[in-house]
Amino acid sequence: MQSKLSDIELIEQTLAGNQSAYADLVKRHQRFVFTLAMRFSKSREDAEEIAQDCFIKAYRSLASYNAQAKFSTWLYTIVYNTAMTFLRKKRIATDSIDEEGTFIQIENRESAYDADNVENKSRSFYLNQAIEQLLPDDATIITLFYKGEQSLEEIAQTLGMETNTVKVKLFRARQRLKDKLERNLKHEVKELI
């Protein structure tokens, strides 16, 4: 079964003409590619379009992929560049993080469901909501580091930055995320962080 093969093996099979090997690569990475695209576009339709464009670009450029680098880093670089191009074309204005009117206030709701399950879903919901309020660059770095589990070096390579720059940007993005959570959750933020 191909899904147990490494990314490199799937790429080699794709380059040899096996289309189902590329389908396996897409299945393996589609959720995270879509998540990154959503972080940039904030629209499901746009994110789907960005993700589709990314996989098409990746397929067309697969022969130029350098096997020394992780495939995911190479792919996420394509996602980043495609999303930035898409946003420039759409001319989506990003609001300043200082504009209070743009923040969504989240109510704290109590539930009679299983406390642990609700708490985990609630944490995830509130974190995702706060990440969505960040600027695209901040959301990308947070997403790549925590959800993508990429190292600072991999993020630097993906975004075309120096590792120290990524480290500083990650620190600042964490601070802005914390501020958003504090605004949205007030007292509950101490439990989330």
Side-chain angles (χ1 to χ4, degrees), residues 58-157:
Y59 180 77
R60 289 180 179 158
S61 302
L62 209 52
S64 67
Y65 166 69
N66 176 3
Q68 300 299 331
K70 283 177 63 175
F71 176 74
S72 60
T73 302
W74 181 76
L75 180 61
Y76 302 151
T77 302
I78 293 172
V79 174
Y80 177 78
N81 292 330
T82 302
M84 292 297 103
T85 301
F86 182 86
L87 292 175
R88 273 188 230 109
K89 285 180 183 175
K90 283 198 78 162
R91 297 178 193 244
I92 295 176
T94 54
D95 296 325
S96 168
I97 62 171
D98 297 326
E99 290 182 30
E100 289 296 325
T102 62
F103 299 121
I104 299 170
Q105 296 301 319
I106 302 171
E107 294 179 29
N108 184 15
R109 298 182 181 126
E110 292 190 20
S111 174
Y113 296 106
D114 177 38
D116 288 338
N117 191 21
V118 170
E119 185 175 331
N120 287 338
K121 285 183 182 179
S122 180
R123 284 181 183 171
S124 178
F125 172 78
Y126 291 135
L127 283 170
N128 284 329
Q129 196 76 2
I131 291 170
E132 286 176 12
Q133 294 173 0
L134 293 172
L135 291 174
D137 286 346
D138 289 345
T140 300
I141 288 176
I142 293 283
T143 302
L144 288 172
F145 189 76
Y146 289 106
K147 292 189 176 183
E149 298 179 357
Q150 290 196 344
S151 68
L152 293 174
E153 292 78 16
E154 291 169 330
I155 296 170
Q157 184 178 359

Side-chain angles (χ1 to χ4, degrees), residues 38-56:
M38 275 294 290
R39 293 283 180 245
F40 289 112
S41 69
K42 312 246 189 275
S43 158
R44 183 172 190 79
E45 293 80 21
D46 290 345
E48 287 172 353
E49 186 175 336
I50 291 168
Q52 184 176 12
D53 288 349
C54 291
F55 284 115
I56 291 169

